[in-house]
Amino acid sequence: MEPLAYIGAGMCALSMMAAAWGVSQVWTTIISTVGRNPQIKKEVDIYGWVGFAAVEAVALYALVIAFVMLSGN
């Protein structure tokens, strides 16, 4: 059963990698948008933080699931 836990934790690491890519896409889009139209920075800023928090939550959930699988009885 232990090897399967390591495989599952590795799959969780893949989802954390995808979340890191998602965070980079959120910030790249924000920077690009503000670069084109600086007047909308305050309007776009809140969406950037919400998007960042949502994507980062996925990574934290994956980390918790990986720890739970590795600490199994």
Side-chain angles (χ1 to χ4, degrees), residues 29-64:
T29 303
I30 296 283
I31 291 169
S32 173
T33 302
V34 172
R36 287 189 205 130
N37 190 358
Q39 291 86 11
I40 63 168
K41 183 188 182 307
K42 289 185 181 182
E43 296 171 17
V44 175
D45 197 32
I46 188 68
Y47 294 114
W49 285 109
V50 170
F52 168 74
V55 173
E56 193 65 26
V58 172
L60 291 176
Y61 293 145
L63 181 65
V64 168

